[in-house]
Amino acid sequence: MPGGRLTQQDRQRIALGLAEGLAYAEIARGLERPTSTITREVMRNGGPAGYRADLAHRATEQRTQRRRPAPPPGGAEPAPHQPYGRDPEAVRAYEELFTTVMMRSGLPKMMSRVMVALLLTDSGSLTASELARRLQVSPATVSKSITFLEGQTLIRRERDERRRERYVVDADVWYQSMAASVRSLVEQGDLARQGVGVLVPGTPAAVRLENVARFLDFVAESLARAAEQAREVLSTKADPDREAGD
């Protein structure tokens, strides 16, 4: 019924509405639900392109049946405060979706969770203890993830005024990550080109490697040029009129 939990039939209607290109608000009106309910439902279960009614219903049932672990002594860690009037449930659903997308791109689950946690903070930085509390994992798990992400040039370390080590994701980190990708492509292209001589130029295998090398050269050059041209976009500042305290 309207206002209660979404049923499997509701989810089928959501999937149909998405397939027809309807906006969340229009789907919500048809189901007599708040638009935020539909937004959370879709974002939590694959996004507009990946939403499947049966999978979404099964996942929701599993989440309902799953019980949270017992809180640590002193009480459970409170949910992070959401500034700017953000909807905590919508933020949580978006965080889950973002983590899933990063995992699909090849980043391990824990590393994806750490990366997304940093990306979704307004400061762009957290300490190891803050990450451990936020993600409800051990400091050792955070440390392992941080080491991996640093190796991929996705984050960096810095000391704050209290001499605590903070882990930071900022604008230049993304540019440096693209630069690292370019270097990797160039290295692969050089290796492919080296194989042309080994396999004898003109043979099928050598021609294949030569084509791979040319392809990688083109992609690397295009990516490097695009990253350099777009670098200033990463430095765009937030609207000061939107600033709000925690």
Side-chain angles (χ1 to χ4, degrees), residues 43 93-104 112 115-116 119-120 174:
M43 296 295 281
Y94 177 72
E95 186 168 352
E96 290 178 7
L97 176 61
F98 206 152
T99 300
T100 299
V101 170
M102 296 199 78
M103 289 169 59
R104 287 175 183 167
S112 297
M115 187 69 187
V116 171
L119 281 169
L120 300 192
W174 290 102

Side-chain angles (χ1 to χ4, degrees), residues 167-188:
Y167 307 108
V168 182
V169 56
D170 57 17
D172 202 55
V173 166
W174 290 102
Y175 173 80
Q176 295 301 332
S177 177
M178 290 295 100
S181 296
V182 169
R183 290 193 294 272
S184 177
L185 290 172
V186 169
E187 183 179 11
Q188 293 174 53

Side-chain angles (χ1 to χ4, degrees), residues 75-142:
E77 180 69 20
H81 170 66
Q82 292 297 336
Y84 304 103
R86 294 170 182 147
D87 181 342
E89 283 296 320
V91 172
R92 186 159 33 246
Y94 177 72
E95 186 168 352
E96 290 178 7
L97 176 61
F98 206 152
T99 300
T100 299
V101 170
M102 296 199 78
M103 289 169 59
R104 287 175 183 167
S105 73
L107 200 61
K109 181 177 180 179
M110 197 62 235
M111 289 66 171
S112 297
R113 293 188 68 201
V114 170
M115 187 69 187
V116 171
L118 288 168
L119 281 169
L120 300 192
T121 59
D122 289 298
S123 65
S125 72
L126 292 167
T127 64
S129 60
E130 288 169 343
L131 278 166
R133 288 196 301 270
R134 182 186 180 100
L135 301 176
Q136 296 187 328
V137 297
S138 69
T141 299
V142 169

Side-chain angles (χ1 to χ4, degrees), residues 12-26:
Q12 290 170 348
R13 292 176 64 183
I14 291 172
L16 181 61
L18 292 172
E20 293 175 350
L22 301 182
Y24 292 157
E26 192 169 353

